[in-house]
Amino acid sequence: MVVRAKATEPQLTAWEIKGCGKRSTNQCRKDNERENYNWEKHLMLAEYLLSPQEFTHVLMLDADAAFIRQDHNTLKLIRDLMDERKKDLFLTDEDWLKYGEGRINGGLILAKNGQFTKDLFQDTFDAHVSGPAPLKNWRIGVRGVVCSSNEQICLNDLWRGGKGPIFSDHAMMAGGKKWNHGAESGGFDDPEVEILHFMGGAK
């Protein structure tokens, strides 16, 4: 397990600096800190997928999420599910919320090491750096995608925003109620829950 406790520098992109106008650099960093820390997830995934150590899979799990089943190997179950469906990327939705079904939660990502996942997370981070200007050459083959908000919205745009065929050929979405349950909605005593996510007020 690796905990990335400090964000990669420089944190601020050119378009973020421009958007801050006359605000100080420190204030600009503070105003963009949450989004940029979330984007660090995609940079980290890209770096480990491209590592010469050749990891077979790379898991990104938010620090406020936890595996809660001690009687079996949750990650093996996920890997088996990915292999069964012939997918390279495992994502979960927020179906524990009233309108969350089908909406990706960015706090749990398991990527099988391959060309698609290597390209994807380089692409999404490059699109973040590009900001409001669409990234011209996505390695995975999509066009016209803008990622000028957070990383979760970027993934959702790829999944549901008309770019699905290229993305969904390689990615799968599983139910968050089982695989990434928001703790603010319970799940503590549910034997079906594999991972609890203590986001927001549940911390």
Side-chain angles (χ1 to χ4, degrees), residues 6-36:
K6 186 176 181 181
T8 303
E9 297 293 346
Q11 290 182 43
L12 290 172
T13 64
W15 65 270
E16 287 172 337
I17 293 170
K18 183 178 179 180
C20 283
K22 295 182 179 180
R23 281 173 283 172
S24 69
T25 300
N26 284 340
Q27 186 61 48
C28 190
R29 284 169 63 97
K30 183 177 180 181
D31 292 344
N32 289 281
E33 185 175 75
R34 178 177 175 81
E35 304 293 2
N36 286 341

Side-chain angles (χ1 to χ4, degrees), residues 1 12 14 22 27 29 33 44 52 74 85 88-89 112 117 131 140 142 149-150 162 164 171 194 198 200:
M1 182 179 73
L12 290 172
K22 295 182 179 180
Q27 186 61 48
R29 284 169 63 97
E33 185 175 75
M44 183 182 74
T74 297
R85 299 190 186 181
D88 302 309
L89 186 66
K112 183 178 181 179
T117 52
I140 64 170
V142 301
S149 184
N150 65 46
E194 297 284 341
F198 294 83

Side-chain angles (χ1 to χ4, degrees), residues 40-101:
E40 187 79 17
K41 302 174 188 179
H42 286 214
L43 180 61
M44 183 182 74
L45 282 161
E47 289 174 350
Y48 281 100
L49 288 165
L50 291 164
S51 167
Q53 292 181 264
E54 298 183 345
F55 301 108
T56 61
H57 296 74
V58 179
L59 172 71
M60 198 299 301
L61 183 68
D62 278 3
D64 55 4
F67 295 96
I68 62 171
R69 297 297 301 270
Q70 299 181 29
D71 57 328
H72 60 247
N73 187 334
T74 297
L75 280 177
K76 183 180 185 304
L77 294 179
I78 295 174
R79 291 198 311 270
D80 290 347
L81 191 58
M82 293 170 67
D83 290 343
E84 178 185 320
R85 299 190 186 181
K86 296 180 172 57
K87 300 297 183 181
D88 302 309
L89 186 66
F90 181 87
L91 303 165
T92 59
D93 67 8
E94 298 180 332
D95 63 350
W96 69 87
L97 297 173
K98 187 175 181 180
Y99 301 110
E101 186 174 357

Side-chain angles (χ1 to χ4, degrees), residues 103-114:
R103 184 176 67 212
I104 296 169
N105 179 276
L108 168 66
I109 299 172
L110 182 62
K112 183 178 181 179
N113 200 339

